[in-house]
Amino acid sequence: MAAVADVKQDKLLLLDGNSLAFRAFFALHNSLDRFTNSEGLHTNALYTFSNMLETILAAEQPTHMLVAFDAGKTTFRTQMFDDYKGNRSKTPSELSEQLPYFGEYLDALGIAHYQLVDYEADDIIGTLAKEAQGQMPVTIITGDRDLTQLTTANTTVKVTVKGVNELETYTPAHVQEKLGITPKQIIDMKGLMGDTSDNYPGVTKVGEKTALKLVKEYGSIETLYQHVAEMKKSKLKENLENDHEQAVLSKKLATINTAAPLTISLADIKRQAENQEKLIAFYEAMDFKSKLAKLQISKSTTSADADAAQKINAQELVAADLPQILKSPQPQAFEIDILGDNYHLEMPIGFAIGAADHWYYSQDLSLLTTPEFKAWLANRDHEKYVFDSKKTEVLLTRLGAPIAGMTFDLLLVSYLLNTFDNSNDLGVLAHLHGYQAVQTDLEVYGKGTKRAVPMDPEVLGHHLACKAQAIYRLKTPLLTQLKDNDQDQLYDEIEAPLALVLAQMELNGITVDSQRLQTMRLDFEKRLNDIQALIYEDAGHEFNINSPKQLGTVLFDELKLPVIKKNKTGYSTSVEVLEQLQGDNPIIDRILTYRQISKLQSTYITGLLKVIHPDHKVHTRYLQTLTQTGRLSSVDPNLQNIPVRLPEGRKIRQAFVPSHPDWEIFSSDYSQVELRVLAHVSGDANMQAAFKNKIDIHANTAMKIFHLADPSEVTPDMRRQAKATNFGIVYGISDYGLARNIGISRTQAANFIAAYFEQYPDVERYVKDIVEVARQQGYVETIMHRRRYLPDIHAKNYNLRSFAERTAMNTPIQGSAADIIKVAMINMQQRLAEENLQAKMLLQVHDELIFEAPATEIPILEKLVPSVMDSAVKLDVPLVVDSAHGPTWYDAKG
DNA sequence: TTCATCACG
DNA sequence: ACGTACGTGATGAAA
């Protein structure tokens, strides 16, 4: 079985078992209850660990491998220091009950695991990594940053960052770049700063910042103490002197022992072959159905075996079957697939239909346009259960066989239940809901350049049939959950009807004047050439201005401009940085202009020209099940980020025109909808009064935070800063963030916020309460009961937790605003039909709706659209809508 | 594929 | 002592 090792370069992979098991456990801490086997054993850590391991093995392909575990609570470190790891809370019983099974699992995979009395996993890893130096490259994977001290030219340490999916790779260079010290010096740093999680003290009042400074200056703790007497008198010096012993002890504790008395060596940890039987037994014992299924699928080499595993009663649909199937009054599941994402361009590759346990599939699209199938599709009394009603609607409309009566959409329901699992792959979602009898599209069609329709029509047919069956079988359980969550109205009255409205908007598209774009393209091309020549002159040579790397070299190495900010690949050359360099050198202004034009040219001129259809229109796709807040997003092309703020870019909008002569573009937008939602949900009387009395909300805020007595004292700049503060509140403010955004000191920002909360006390109460709500129930809700789960609200990691807290504040606001405009869109479409108007709703840009209409209908829209929008929902404050119109989108902006 | 950058609300 | 605004998508460069 050593054959594998012979053909491949040797490579050692060392895993920190305890640390990864902890990570794995807490990654799915929230769904603890969903992961238990038939005997009540929790399996979440095992499951996540298994997923991690699969990813890691695929990526690393080691020839030698070991997973190291801690042996017990006492080690040589606890002998040195009683309280080592003394404040660690007890391992949760739900995790410790899983630990014994890790070994069993690794055995089945043919991977070595090891623990050693009196030593920690770190020491085992350190010792083996040392043994491997000069023999083979080593990769260490852990959740514990302390192991980065083992980094060498031969040893890479990868540390889990976000949850378990992302790894940060530490090489000596990366350590140097991040901390400014060598890997070996990490123990000196730890010695000085101590470690709260391992509970050793370090030197009083010395944290990471100070520790790093000292290590950079002196090199090591030992040298530092040789020179401590020479330091000038300070609190720091005093603390260093007092805590000398502690520092030395802490350094010892932080040092990984690379000479542990192991009873194994490299030769013992070659990877062995998987033991399929053991693996199956393990998956069965743990109830890992999806992993079992995958094993079966990967085992079966012929399609016949795969079909047998799927156990579905499916057959190819022939015309003669149609009357029999379509006459049934029972609801049918209907699934139609394309290979890619763009259902406006691609043709379907096949479809499936059926109910209960009779399934039919076909690649013959002409069946769909037979009179009987068309009649069945168009009849809303024949209920259809689908996955992605918008896609289905667009595809069938394009085929000339419009569909009605889609009463269940698995994709939409799944998204409403949990925005986090927002895959568009039916198989993935079905698995998440515990339904295994269907493969993912990725598995059947492949990905990237290998993506293709399966050669065997039966394989495709069965996959389609399995998908239809999954839709059918998941309907009842998911609708029950929806009802339990009090989200059935959100689905029935908002998302389901909205999908059809969006389908019409997408199908309609918006006309683009490509002549206009071509003219702009030539103009931009000339200007880019001119500026480019000047920039080359300034730099003294040619280079790629679009390359941040090359640009950084020119500005900071060659022209010696001051470095303002760095990022992980080198110098930052972002707008913020360049603006601070303005005046230093004429090249800066030229680069800023070049950047601006080149952005417009690539993304909005050539980018847009590429996606114009033969009907002279662009047909975006609105993603209805993507965002975490309930907003839509727009792709292919994105029509929600067409330039508007700068005059130059704004002209792009002149290319968006009506599809008929004598028509106009009409646009209406909500004024400050998010702040109004905040006034509503917080119940703040002052903020509500401002909106009810039509007071300029930003000026109102300015008066308070600048302590002014009269509105006339508010300067435009004060208003600008107040506006930023209002936004800050909506985003889940911090003084630092506000300070950075409007360029004031952090203390001043803190004062603004304090004054803000004084003026709007119930807003302060709201932000506090909503975070508490998130902690208590694990999710937050919008006014229409849209949910966002926030598992990180309990995270130990400050960053993750803070982020969750900010989103807890922001999501109900942004999400409720999204709810409101969605209701408005549904009502709007309805009213346009009722009033027999030719006007078409074309676009939604979060708080605005864009239409095209005959010029004669503009006066009607000017009344109708705002009235529909401002009455979409009833809030405690009025909703205000502004409108504008003109011959192009550019002109339809107030 | 990932990163940096920049367009929008 | 931490490291910070919320939500998106497209592009070109570089790996």
Side-chain angles (χ1 to χ4, degrees):
Chain A
M1 266 304 133
V4 183
D6 293 340
V7 289
K8 273 195 295 197
Q9 245 335 298
D10 278 353
K11 176 171 181 183
L12 172 61
L13 178 64
L14 297 166
L15 262 51
D16 183 344
N18 284 75
S19 144
L20 294 179
F22 258 85
R23 293 275 165 165
F25 177 73
F26 286 106
L28 281 184
H29 196 207
N30 262 56
S31 355
L32 198 49
D33 297 333
R34 272 177 36 212
F35 288 89
T36 51
N37 72 359
S38 54
E39 279 153 28
L41 175 81
H42 289 96
T43 57
N44 67 325
L46 288 160
Y47 185 76
T48 311
F49 181 78
S50 165
N51 286 340
M52 280 162 83
L53 204 56
E54 285 169 11
T55 315
I56 291 169
L57 288 174
E60 304 287 341
Q61 310 209 345
T63 54
H64 295 65
M65 178 165 178
L66 178 104
V67 184
F69 289 93
D70 298 341
K73 270 196 93 85
T74 58
T75 61
F76 71 91
R77 288 189 181 83
T78 49
Q79 285 167 23
M80 288 177 357
F81 181 60
D82 271 357
D83 244 4
Y84 180 72
K85 295 197 175 175
N87 64 356
R88 279 280 166 93
S89 44
K90 229 176 134 264
T91 308
S93 66
E94 295 90 345
L95 173 57
S96 47
E97 71 187 30
Q98 300 180 54
L99 291 176
Y101 298 95
F102 281 83
E104 199 180 303
Y105 174 52
L106 292 166
D107 285 338
L109 291 175
I111 294 171
H113 52 100
Y114 187 70
Q115 50 185 323
L116 181 63
V117 176
D118 280 346
Y119 291 84
E120 294 186 56
D122 299 7
D123 304 312
I124 300 170
I125 290 173
T127 306
L128 282 168
K130 191 167 186 188
E131 189 186 335
Q133 301 298 306
Q135 295 193 49
M136 58 184 89
V138 182
T139 300
I140 296 170
I141 300 183
T142 175
D144 184 350
R145 282 215 147 61
D146 290 359
L147 270 86
T148 52
Q149 65 181 268
L150 296 173
T151 308
T152 67
N154 188 55
T155 305
T156 304
V157 179
K158 299 189 179 183
V159 183
T160 56
V161 274
K162 245 197 249 155
V164 293
N165 298 318
E166 253 179 71
L167 296 172
E168 182 173 9
T169 302
Y170 284 83
T171 57
H174 186 59
V175 171
Q176 186 71 44
E177 189 184 315
K178 230 180 135 140
L179 300 173
I181 59 178
T182 66
K184 286 233 173 336
Q185 289 174 320
I186 287 175
I187 54 178
D188 295 284
M189 173 184 92
K190 299 291 291 189
L192 291 169
M193 66 186 272
D195 187 316
T196 44
S197 86
D198 288 351
N199 198 39
Y200 53 81
V203 175
T204 312
K205 289 281 177 194
V206 172
E208 187 176 328
K209 284 271 155 64
T210 319
L212 275 174
K213 206 181 109 222
L214 291 170
V215 173
K216 279 184 214 165
E217 193 170 343
Y218 295 97
S220 73
I221 287 193
E222 291 71 25
T223 333
L224 164 65
Y225 275 103
Q226 281 166 18
H227 293 93
V228 77
E230 301 155 19
M231 288 173 75
K232 62 171 189 245
K233 195 168 161 343
S234 70
K235 200 77 204 156
L236 173 63
K237 178 180 183 184
E238 208 176 293
N239 288 330
L240 283 168
E241 284 171 334
N242 289 339
D243 295 340
H244 189 164
E245 271 181 44
Q246 280 188 48
V248 173
L249 173 65
S250 296
K251 177 172 172 177
K252 271 193 200 151
L253 290 170
T255 306
I256 290 172
N257 187 336
T258 54
L262 306 187
T263 56
I264 51 158
S265 68
L266 281 182
D268 303 317
I269 60 173
K270 263 196 185 166
R271 266 185 82 187
Q272 305 297 314
E274 260 179 31
N275 183 327
Q276 289 265 347
E277 275 166 42
K278 271 194 186 172
L279 199 54
I280 290 173
F282 175 77
Y283 287 159
E284 275 174 351
M286 294 301 144
D287 245 357
F288 289 168
K289 295 207 179 70
S290 58
K291 301 213 174 271
L292 266 178
K294 238 192 242 163
L295 215 54
Q296 311 290 2
I297 291 160
S298 70
K299 255 176 71 180
S300 53
T301 45
T302 67
S303 63
D305 287 347
D307 297 341
Q310 298 293 347
K311 277 200 208 103
I312 184 168
N313 177 14
Q315 63 193 84
E316 185 168 359
L317 180 66
V318 288
D321 295 326
L322 284 178
Q324 147 82 16
I325 302 162
L326 299 179
K327 75 170 188 221
S328 164
Q330 295 303 316
Q332 307 277 318
F334 179 80
E335 163 72 10
I336 184 163
D337 259 19
I338 51 172
L339 207 51
D341 295 318
N342 197 334
Y343 47 70
H344 291 295
L345 291 171
E346 292 175 47
M347 282 311 273
I349 57 174
F351 66 93
I353 181 174
D357 47 13
H358 285 87
W359 303 97
Y360 302 87
Y361 57 84
S362 174
Q363 286 179 263
D364 180 4
L365 301 176
S366 68
L367 286 172
L368 295 169
T369 45
T370 58
E372 42 204 339
F373 215 125
K374 267 182 83 166
W376 179 83
L377 283 168
N379 185 345
R380 65 176 58 253
D381 294 332
H382 285 300
E383 286 186 54
K384 291 100 183 167
Y385 302 162
V386 303
F387 180 86
D388 196 344
S389 48
K390 177 158 66 70
K391 177 188 86 176
T392 308
E393 168 108 348
V394 170
L395 285 174
L396 289 172
T397 304
R398 283 182 53 215
L399 289 173
I403 186 171
M406 292 186 281
T407 52
F408 174 68
D409 182 338
L410 175 59
L411 175 64
L412 282 178
V413 169
S414 186
Y415 169 71
L416 294 182
L417 287 173
N418 193 339
T419 54
F420 197 70
D421 309 328
N422 60 2
S423 171
N424 278 314
D425 188 320
L426 187 152
V428 172
L429 288 180
H431 298 169
L432 281 166
H433 291 292
Y435 182 93
Q436 306 297 345
V438 60
Q439 286 178 271
T440 64
D441 288 342
L442 200 65
E443 285 163 345
V444 180
Y445 303 144
K447 73 164 173 179
T449 49
K450 291 199 196 84
R451 198 171 172 94
V453 180
M455 296 296 240
D456 183 347
E458 243 182 74
V459 172
L460 172 65
H462 280 238
H463 181 55
L464 290 166
C466 285
K467 286 170 81 165
Q469 189 180 45
I471 296 167
Y472 194 85
R473 300 221 170 142
L474 279 165
K475 181 198 169 236
T476 307
L478 294 201
L479 286 184
T480 308
Q481 284 182 53
L482 207 59
K483 183 107 180 145
D484 289 347
N485 288 358
D486 205 12
Q487 291 181 299
D488 42 337
Q489 277 204 353
L490 174 61
Y491 172 71
D492 290 329
E493 293 172 21
I494 300 185
E495 297 302 338
L498 181 70
L500 306 184
V501 173
L502 292 173
Q504 292 314 314
M505 291 166 64
E506 292 180 11
L507 280 164
N508 196 83
I510 182 164
T511 305
V512 175
D513 177 354
S514 52
Q515 268 330 107
R516 181 88 194 84
L517 289 181
Q518 294 289 8
T519 311
M520 294 175 83
R521 189 173 68 79
L522 292 175
D523 176 44
F524 284 153
E525 194 171 78
K526 186 176 174 318
R527 289 175 59 189
L528 282 174
N529 279 330
D530 292 349
I531 306 170
Q532 177 181 292
L534 291 172
I535 292 173
Y536 290 165
E537 232 171 80
D538 292 332
H541 63 88
E542 296 193 358
F543 66 102
N544 187 343
I545 308 170
N546 286 319
S547 159
K549 198 177 160 199
Q550 294 182 34
L551 181 60
T553 310
V554 168
L555 294 183
F556 304 111
D557 290 338
E558 298 172 16
L559 297 176
K560 305 268 186 254
L561 292 170
V563 177
I564 311 269
K565 213 175 103 192
K566 287 191 148 201
N567 54 39
K568 58 179 140 182
T569 44
Y571 308 114
S572 169
T573 64
S574 66
V575 182
E576 290 144 57
V577 170
L578 295 184
E579 276 172 354
Q580 291 183 58
L581 295 172
Q582 258 171 330
D584 288 10
N585 190 316
I587 196 174
I588 299 296
D589 276 328
R590 288 169 183 152
I591 289 165
L592 283 167
T593 312
Y594 183 90
R595 279 259 179 90
Q596 201 196 322
I597 310 255
S598 136
K599 173 83 177 183
L600 295 174
Q601 183 77 309
S602 65
T603 305
Y604 298 104
I605 305 283
T606 57
L608 216 46
L609 283 167
K610 272 185 229 160
V611 291
I612 299 176
H613 290 230
D615 61 0
H616 307 293
K617 294 176 173 186
V618 286
H619 298 267
T620 187
R621 277 155 38 235
Y622 288 105
L623 305 188
Q624 199 184 349
T625 57
L626 181 135
T627 70
Q628 298 304 303
T629 55
R631 275 190 175 181
L632 301 176
S633 84
S634 159
V635 295
D636 240 355
N638 180 357
L639 295 180
Q640 290 182 320
N641 71 346
I642 302 300
V644 66
R645 289 172 192 168
L646 300 173
E648 199 78 60
R650 194 174 187 145
K651 292 201 181 122
I652 303 278
R653 295 184 172 218
Q654 293 171 339
F656 289 85
V657 297
S659 56
H660 304 287
D662 300 318
W663 283 40
E664 285 200 343
I665 301 291
F666 179 91
S667 160
S668 290
D669 67 293
Y670 284 113
S671 161
Q672 288 138 3
V673 63
E674 292 193 347
L675 283 175
R676 288 170 200 269
V677 168
L678 175 61
H680 173 81
V681 296
S682 69
D684 188 277
N686 284 346
M687 193 177 275
Q688 291 193 358
F691 282 123
K692 283 177 186 163
N693 299 324
K694 300 184 182 167
I695 293 170
D696 177 342
I697 188 70
H698 300 315
N700 196 53
T701 301
M703 278 176 60
K704 196 63 197 180
I705 63 179
F706 292 105
H707 309 289
L708 308 176
D710 193 89
S712 63
E713 296 172 49
V714 176
T715 66
D717 195 59
M718 288 174 175
R719 189 177 179 282
R720 184 184 61 81
Q721 297 199 18
K723 188 173 171 180
T725 310
N726 277 324
F727 272 108
I729 298 288
V730 170
Y731 295 153
I733 198 149
S734 74
D735 50 11
Y736 184 96
L738 181 63
R740 222 178 59 112
N741 195 278
I742 54 180
I744 55 174
S745 78
R746 194 169 166 168
T747 10
Q748 187 154 25
N751 289 338
F752 279 14
I753 295 168
Y756 189 99
F757 284 147
E758 218 171 277
Q759 169 72 356
Y760 307 119
D762 280 338
V763 172
E764 181 172 34
R765 185 193 49 75
Y766 164 78
V767 298
K768 288 218 169 77
D769 287 356
I770 195 72
V771 170
E772 191 49 35
V773 165
R775 285 197 196 108
Q776 294 295 328
Q777 59 186 25
Y779 61 87
V780 291
E781 274 186 325
T782 66
I783 53 174
M784 304 307 247
H785 302 298
R786 187 186 304 284
R787 268 186 198 197
R788 179 175 187 176
Y789 288 91
L790 297 167
D792 287 342
I793 201 87
H794 300 295
K796 277 222 179 76
N797 180 315
Y798 175 90
N799 275 332
L800 291 179
R801 191 175 63 249
S802 303
F803 184 64
E805 288 168 0
R806 291 197 295 273
T807 48
M809 300 179 219
N810 174 262
T811 298
I813 299 170
Q814 190 182 117
S816 297
D819 292 346
I820 293 169
I821 196 163
K822 283 179 171 180
V823 173
M825 290 168 75
I826 295 160
N827 295 345
M828 198 65 238
Q829 191 81 329
Q830 179 70 28
R831 291 300 301 276
L832 289 178
E834 282 168 7
E835 307 288 328
N836 277 317
L837 293 170
Q838 290 176 268
K840 296 274 189 309
M841 183 158 59
L842 303 182
L843 305 174
Q844 187 251 44
V845 190
H846 309 306
D847 65 357
E848 82 181 298
L849 296 177
I850 292 110
F851 302 79
E852 62 177 3
T856 50
E857 288 183 5
I858 296 294
I860 304 171
L861 293 187
E862 277 182 312
K863 287 208 168 66
L864 181 64
V865 179
S867 86
V868 169
M869 286 173 73
D870 70 28
S871 65
V873 299
K874 181 88 192 81
L875 300 184
D876 293 341
V877 291
L879 286 171
V880 170
V881 175
D882 302 315
S883 304
H885 62 92
T888 74
W889 192 4
Y890 178 89
D891 310 288
K893 198 80 186 171

